[in-house]
Amino acid sequence: MENAIEIDNMPEHFFATLFASMFIGMISAFVGFVFCDSKRKVTIEKAKEISCDYKNIKKVGVFQNNSKEFILKAYNEVGLDFVQLHGNEPVEFVESLQIPVIKAFNLKDKDSINKMTQYKNINNLVGYLVDGAKGGSGEVFQWNWLKELSDDII
């Protein structure tokens, strides 16, 4: 996933399809379906309808403190390739999903790095998403904090 682009719930899925198709073959393309509280939130039914148009694009479900049952239902019914967890999901919860997970972390301070290390031995964890103190705010974290991570995490 060296060259990847994620397209999150564009208002008109036509534009998402057009945009993504321009990059197929050049980079890995992803489309994200937001299932947590957000102005971009979609229902499982709507995500299923839209996802039919994405045959060669990886589908990611974005969740935040949702129940295991809801996450697995969305994963199976929409045909997601990954789930991206943005909440306070503990290690045990992530392990119990037994599906490919990308875990998001908000780096508020240097101590936030320690939380990431707790997840490093989870077999179904396929990647990390590192964001500032409040995801989507445009607030940047101190990149030098990542130097604290061991090589087996990055």
Side-chain angles (χ1 to χ4, degrees):
M1 285 198 275
E2 184 176 309
N3 298 315
I5 187 165
E6 181 177 328
I7 305 167
D8 284 331
N9 288 344
M10 294 180 84
E12 300 294 329
H13 76 279
F14 167 77
F15 294 112
T17 304
L18 176 65
F19 184 69
S21 66
M22 293 175 3
F23 292 101
I24 300 299
M26 293 171 38
I27 60 174
S28 301
F30 295 78
V31 62
F33 297 103
V34 178
F35 294 104
C36 51
D37 289 336
S38 165
K39 62 183 177 187
R40 298 181 290 169
K41 182 178 182 176
V42 295
T43 62
I44 290 175
E45 292 73 28
K46 185 66 174 175
K48 279 171 39 179
E49 177 187 321
I50 294 170
S51 71
C52 292
D53 293 336
Y54 298 105
K55 301 296 183 213
N56 298 316
I57 298 176
K58 300 291 183 190
K59 295 178 276 300
V60 181
V62 179
F63 302 89
Q64 185 176 38
N65 300 322
N66 297 86
S67 71
K68 178 180 178 179
E69 293 75 22
F70 180 78
I71 293 171
L72 293 175
K73 179 178 180 177
Y75 179 82
N76 291 314
E77 290 189 22
V78 178
L80 299 173
D81 296 290
F82 304 97
V83 299
Q84 189 171 297
L85 303 178
H86 284 260
N88 300 315
E89 300 88 1
V91 170
E92 299 78 20
F93 180 86
V94 176
E95 285 177 317
S96 75
L97 291 174
Q98 298 181 349
I99 56 177
V101 172
I102 300 164
K103 181 69 179 106
F105 294 92
N106 296 97
L107 300 186
K108 302 173 185 88
D109 52 40
K110 219 172 172 182
D111 291 333
S112 303
I113 295 292
N114 295 332
K115 188 171 184 181
M116 289 179 68
T117 61
Q118 297 170 16
Y119 292 77
K120 74 176 187 176
N121 293 319
I122 300 176
N123 290 332
N124 57 313
L125 186 68
V126 297
Y128 298 91
L129 184 146
V130 181
D131 212 338
K134 186 173 186 325
S137 67
E139 208 176 299
V140 228
F141 63 87
Q142 297 294 318
W143 284 86
N144 61 342
W145 292 347
L146 295 180
K147 292 177 185 174
E148 304 287 323
L149 293 173
S150 61
D151 290 339
D152 57 343
I153 291 187
I154 48 177

